[in-house]
Amino acid sequence: MPDTIAEPVVVTGATGFIGRRVVHRLRKDNVAVRALVLPDEPLPDQWGADVDVIRGDIADPVAVKTAVAGAGTVIHLAAVVSDWGDEAMYWALTVEGSRSVFEAAIADNARVVLAASIAVYGDNIHRRACPEESPWGRPMGPYSRTKQAQEKLAWQFYEKNSMQLTVIRPANVYGPGSGPWLHDVVDVLKSGAPGLIGGGNMNAGLAYVDNVADVLVLAAKTDAAIGRVYNCCDGLDVTWRDYFTDISTMIGVKAPSAIPRFAAKTSAIVCERVWRLLHIKKRPPITLEALNLVGSDNRIPIDRMKNELGYVPRVSYDEGLQQTRAYLESIKGENT
């Protein structure tokens, strides 16, 4: 049986894609929630007065200290989640912002559940299955570089400062509001550009957002999870072709086409070089970071999550697609 979660629970990145679902899950369990939210960021209507909101930036150590003061648990989600951008921003927010969170957590003896990423496995995602004890491969871009650095920093605080730490490594998180795995996919499919690498018949390593929220909250309740790391994936038999085709059907466009991997890799290398040379801020059509996931058979074992946390994904793929379809219908006519 899970232990009791230490309250209040601070959620960083609380208004983000996964953060909103974590807050919803905690509120459903009548857990006291405190959200660290950017000063000018709008709040979800559903929160009302149930969520204690602290305004501040994750890059501001004073704001972080204020948010974490007196907390029992921190579920740390705030990070730059993109495959392209100013790398200095990734380091300032994902890494140094995390340092502030960890320092504040130690000062208040708060437990930390870190939302890391399977991106820490780097190019090993393409080469092999990646159980939790796998060595990390070469990072493919600023996201995987800084997620590796973030997790290394977390383990340093665990080992040297006795921080109570659990690390969750979500796989490719889909569902209503997902940037990389819904909105970006929709944009590619609507453009008619090739969305699949090779035949697209590799496992997509999908994790539905509510299942990820479940695991983060469950880990925060489980004392035996301290000092442990867990892959977080739905363990589906769904390929990239399956998923992209399902999304194309939802939005009424033709099924996705494919591009050979060698051509995609060449395009990614050229695009990244040109974009850097010309200081183009907009995301290139393809990046090495994205190719590492969409062009790979994502073999992400979840035996440890099942055996140690006792968790079997609650939301099925069909249910996840239903929720995604309803979301797309609700925003029809907007720029998706």
Side-chain angles (χ1 to χ4, degrees):
M1 291 291 292
D3 303 290
T4 303
I5 196 165
E7 302 178 60
V9 178
V10 174
V11 181
T12 71
T15 57
F17 168 52
I18 300 175
R20 288 173 183 246
R21 305 310 300 163
V22 170
V23 171
H24 174 78
R25 182 73 174 76
L26 291 167
R27 290 176 66 227
K28 188 176 179 182
D29 290 348
N30 296 313
V31 173
V33 182
R34 189 184 299 164
L36 179 59
V37 176
L38 288 168
D40 57 351
E41 198 165 19
L43 302 178
D45 295 336
Q46 301 89 339
W47 283 9
D50 292 342
V51 178
D52 180 16
V53 176
I54 304 296
R55 295 282 184 175
D57 195 313
I58 195 72
D60 178 1
V62 175
V64 172
K65 186 175 181 180
T66 300
V68 176
T73 306
V74 181
I75 298 180
H76 180 35
L77 288 146
V80 180
V81 183
S82 174
D83 61 345
W84 186 257
D86 177 8
E87 189 151 345
M89 181 175 65
Y90 288 77
W91 285 94
L93 300 180
T94 301
V95 182
E96 293 307 315
S98 294
R99 187 187 305 277
S100 296
V101 170
F102 302 154
E103 288 174 345
I106 289 169
D108 280 84
N109 197 32
R111 181 167 174 180
V112 174
V113 177
L114 171 64
S117 171
I118 62 165
V120 299
Y121 298 124
D123 62 351
N124 277 345
I125 291 173
H126 184 65
R127 302 175 190 279
R128 51 177 290 175
C130 293
E132 291 86 349
E133 65 273 14
S134 299
W136 293 357
R138 180 169 61 91
M140 304 307 295
Y143 180 70
S144 51
R145 271 193 292 275
T146 50
K147 291 304 279 187
Q148 285 186 350
Q150 178 196 48
E151 191 177 325
K152 286 177 183 176
L153 183 66
W155 289 116
Q156 288 172 9
F157 274 85
Y158 169 77
E159 293 164 2
K160 297 179 181 178
N161 303 95
S162 300
M163 184 174 74
Q164 301 173 71
L165 173 68
T166 303
V167 172
I168 306 297
R169 294 176 184 157
N172 301 318
V173 188
Y174 78 105
S178 171
W181 303 123
L182 183 58
H183 287 274
D184 288 353
V185 171
V186 167
D187 289 344
V188 169
L189 291 170
K190 284 185 172 180
S191 75
L196 299 174
I197 308 301
N201 296 313
M202 305 86 74
N203 196 298
L206 297 174
Y208 186 68
V209 61
D210 285 355
N211 293 336
V212 175
D214 283 349
V215 173
L216 288 163
V217 173
L218 179 59
K221 294 179 178 178
T222 307
D223 289 345
I226 293 174
R228 301 293 282 164
V229 55
Y230 300 93
N231 285 338
C232 182
C233 187
D234 286 353
L236 303 171
D237 231 2
V238 175
T239 66
W240 286 115
R241 179 173 290 279
D242 294 333
Y243 178 63
F244 277 48
T245 300
D246 287 335
I247 300 299
S248 69
T249 300
M250 285 183 198
I251 61 176
V253 299
K254 67 178 183 179
S257 58
I259 183 174
R261 181 179 173 83
F262 75 88
K265 185 173 181 179
T266 301
S267 297
I269 291 170
V270 171
C271 282
E272 289 194 6
R273 288 177 179 172
V274 170
W275 260 240
R276 289 192 188 97
L277 182 64
L278 300 179
H279 304 289
I280 300 173
K281 293 183 178 180
K282 184 180 178 181
R283 178 185 180 275
I286 188 168
T287 66
L288 291 170
E289 195 93 75
L291 176 62
N292 190 47
L293 298 172
V294 182
S296 296
D297 187 16
N298 287 250
R299 292 159 286 176
I300 311 297
I302 54 172
D303 304 283
R304 184 181 293 182
M305 179 183 81
K306 290 181 176 179
N307 294 336
E308 296 187 12
L309 297 180
Y311 185 75
V312 176
R314 174 173 56 88
V315 181
S316 70
Y317 180 62
D318 286 344
E319 292 169 327
L321 287 183
Q322 288 175 12
Q323 294 298 320
T324 302
R325 183 181 294 106
Y327 168 77
L328 289 173
E329 286 292 329
S330 73
I331 62 170
K332 189 175 286 186
E334 299 178 14
N335 179 18
T336 60

